[in-house]
Amino acid sequence: AGFLTYDPGFMSTASCHSSITFIDGEQGILLYRGYPIEQLSAKASFLEVAYLLLYGELPNEKALAEFEQVIMRHTMLNENLKNFLNGFHYDAHPMAILIGVVGSLSAFYHDSLSINNVRHREISAHRLIAKVPTIAAAAYKHSIGEPIIYPRNDLRYCANFLHMMFATPCEEYRPSLLAERALNLLFILHADHEQNASTSTVRLAASSGANPFACIAAGIASLWGPAHGGANEAVIAMLTEIGEVKHIPKYIAKAKDKDDPFRLMGFGHRVYKNYDPRAKILREVCHQVLNELADANNPLFELAMRLEEIALSDDYFIERRLYPNVDFYSGIIYQALGIPRNMFTVMFAVARTVGWVAHWLEMMGDPDNRIGRPRQIYRGPGKRDYLPIWQR
Ligand code: CMC
């Protein structure tokens, strides 16, 4: 293939320059615009981090208040979008609904077509950050047959999301400070992670000049897979299936067996080879949340910690440097907050929308941007002549 480099999975290909997120996989370091994830997740609000990812600097009080107002102003959905939601079967997976409905936003906002206009790009970015949570909660409401709950713009971003998930027309829902804080932290940890599969998908889709809502829908589709964002749902399914500590060795053996497709979900990472810093934070927070909910003996958490301990003392996992990743403990926290399992990946998508949008904005302003067009190494037959069907 001459000049071509064969790099399946893009193990060693840098597809762009970026100033948003830095990862050092050997040291377990994750920085958003230079700020350590440990500091941001402990101290910042999700919209503060969103501002940082979008604009490059932390906002001062005035800038943050203005940004919060702009985002909250866009939280409503066009009433016609309800028709899309209602078209889905009652047991549709909320991720399937999210892909469809976010994509359909491209049919509502024609100004998003003028992607060469910087102001229009910014409005599309704000709309996405504001509307994806509303669609996500509506997808959940649809799946349980309850009416959609409208956003409340007097609430903070995470409190409003919990309100849209759990209020009903008959009953107000006041999220506990604990739930709001936990969600804020989970959203910050999931907000960006440089050129992962879904972000690269958004960039590739956008490289052709496609509509931003359609590009984000493509990112959501990529996130859904169990090797990516779908892992948080798969972890809880796996822990439930393992059931008891005494069954762990059987599952470890299955994960090591190369003839068995089973993998330990929530384990391993393309970049982190020395513990995922997000998993470290979540393990600690999981402890705190369960304690505060008086659920300290949560059986899934006990099982997860034992599984981690057993796997990390096993040569197979040591040699391959496989550690728990962000998805290993997040599902347990979501579950403790009352969020159903089929919504876990949707929660990831809500948070990651900020990262996708930040990358889209960065890319649109990058003079090096050109259509993404990988090459291939052809392995098929050489030139041959067509035979009429009766001669084959
Ligand atoms: N359980 C058992 N073996 C594993 C696992 C696992 N979870 N992950 C990797 N391995 C083995 C793999 O079989 C291979 O072994 P060998 O060298 O003997 O063939 C070796 O480790 C390297 O794995 P790989 O598949 O080449 O690594 P990758 O960088 O292509 O894949 C991964 C990374 C995250 C897709 C993979 O570790 C995996 O499938 N993990 C489980 C799913 C998961 O938790 N995904 C969430 C990722 S983090 C958050 C996110 O991105 O959404």
Side-chain angles (χ1 to χ4, degrees):
F3 64 95
L4 294 179
T5 310
Y6 178 56
D7 184 17
F10 309 116
M11 301 279 287
S12 59
T13 298
S15 59
C16 60
H17 288 125
S18 181
S19 316
I20 302 173
T21 289
F22 173 81
I23 302 175
D24 182 331
E26 288 298 323
Q27 312 273 340
I29 294 171
L30 170 60
L31 312 174
Y32 291 166
R33 302 279 190 186
Y35 293 101
I37 194 67
E38 291 79 7
Q39 292 179 24
L40 291 172
S41 62
K43 297 184 180 149
S45 77
F46 179 65
L47 283 187
E48 200 180 342
V49 171
Y51 185 101
L52 173 70
L53 290 168
L54 255 50
Y55 299 109
E57 294 298 334
L58 283 168
N60 60 23
E61 265 176 79
K62 181 166 171 284
L64 180 60
E66 279 170 12
F67 183 64
E68 285 172 346
Q69 231 174 29
V70 168
I71 297 298
M72 294 325 268
R73 204 171 51 231
H74 285 296
T75 51
M76 292 262 284
L77 302 180
N78 185 303
E79 282 295 295
N80 286 329
L81 272 175
K82 279 191 187 164
N83 297 328
F84 286 82
L85 278 161
N86 290 335
F88 285 96
H89 203 49
Y90 71 94
D91 63 352
H93 195 290
M95 277 301 278
I97 300 180
L98 195 67
I99 296 167
V101 180
V102 171
S104 76
L105 291 176
S106 55
F108 286 83
Y109 299 110
H110 302 296
D111 49 7
S112 65
L113 293 175
S114 50
I115 52 168
N116 293 326
N117 179 318
V118 175
R119 180 70 195 122
H120 287 187
R121 292 207 292 254
E122 193 181 21
I123 295 172
S124 294
H126 293 162
R127 280 190 179 127
L128 275 157
I129 294 170
K131 291 182 199 301
V132 168
T134 314
I135 297 171
Y140 171 58
K141 287 298 195 188
H142 177 78
S143 73
I144 56 168
E146 283 186 8
I148 291 171
I149 297 298
Y150 285 66
R152 264 186 53 186
N153 292 351
D154 58 323
L155 296 178
R156 284 182 296 259
Y157 187 89
C158 292
N160 173 50
F161 184 75
L162 290 165
H163 153 77
M164 292 188 293
M165 285 279 295
F166 297 122
T168 68
C170 327
E171 215 170 341
E172 215 184 298
Y173 175 83
R174 286 177 197 282
S176 69
L177 208 55
L178 171 72
E180 192 186 341
R181 262 200 258 124
L183 199 60
N184 186 67
L185 178 131
L186 281 156
F187 279 1
I188 290 174
L189 294 184
H190 285 94
D192 193 47
H193 213 229
E194 51 119 305
Q195 310 308 321
N196 55 84
S198 57
T199 304
S200 298
T201 301
V202 170
R203 280 184 177 260
L204 195 56
S207 76
S208 68
N211 180 290
F213 299 97
C215 296
I216 300 302
I220 299 171
S222 165
L223 183 74
W224 193 7
H228 194 2
N232 54 13
E233 188 179 339
V235 168
I236 297 296
M238 175 187 77
L239 292 174
T240 310
E241 194 185 307
I242 296 176
E244 289 180 58
V245 172
K246 67 173 190 232
H247 297 142
I248 291 176
K250 190 174 99 198
Y251 284 84
I252 297 270
K254 266 168 79 64
K256 289 158 62 171
D257 179 356
K258 293 290 156 192
D259 295 326
D260 189 327
F262 174 78
R263 287 185 163 201
L264 275 194
M265 293 322 266
F267 256 77
H269 197 274
R270 171 63 61 81
V271 186
Y272 294 120
K273 301 297 173 198
N274 172 14
Y275 221 95
D276 179 338
R278 303 166 300 173
K280 203 174 270 174
I281 298 170
L282 282 180
R283 193 177 192 271
E284 195 45 46
V285 168
C286 201
H287 234 350
Q288 289 164 13
V289 170
L290 296 178
N291 272 334
E292 285 187 51
L293 291 172
D295 191 14
N297 299 323
N298 180 306
L300 286 189
F301 186 50
E302 302 263 311
L303 199 59
M305 287 198 307
R306 283 294 291 150
L307 180 61
E308 175 182 340
E309 200 183 314
I310 295 172
L312 294 188
S313 58
D314 189 298
D315 283 346
Y316 175 93
F317 293 89
I318 296 169
E319 277 158 21
R320 290 172 180 74
R321 305 169 83 191
L322 302 169
Y323 293 90
N325 59 51
V326 66
D327 289 326
F328 194 65
Y329 289 106
S330 63
I332 298 172
I333 306 179
Y334 283 136
Q335 198 173 50
L337 298 178
I339 291 169
R341 200 192 288 182
N342 64 1
M343 281 296 288
F344 294 175
T345 311
V346 173
M347 309 295 283
F348 193 156
V350 169
R352 186 56 59 85
T353 295
V354 167
W356 292 327
V357 162
H359 282 271
W360 177 72
L361 286 176
E362 181 178 68
M363 178 181 181
M364 288 295 127
D366 183 350
D368 286 348
N369 178 32
R370 45 167 66 186
I371 191 160
R373 207 310 185 181
R375 301 301 303 275
Q376 63 167 13
I377 293 169
Y378 179 67
R379 284 275 172 81
K383 180 175 177 292
R384 47 186 174 161
D385 289 325
Y386 177 87
L387 284 182
I389 196 159
W390 61 89
Q391 286 182 19
R392 290 174 216 161

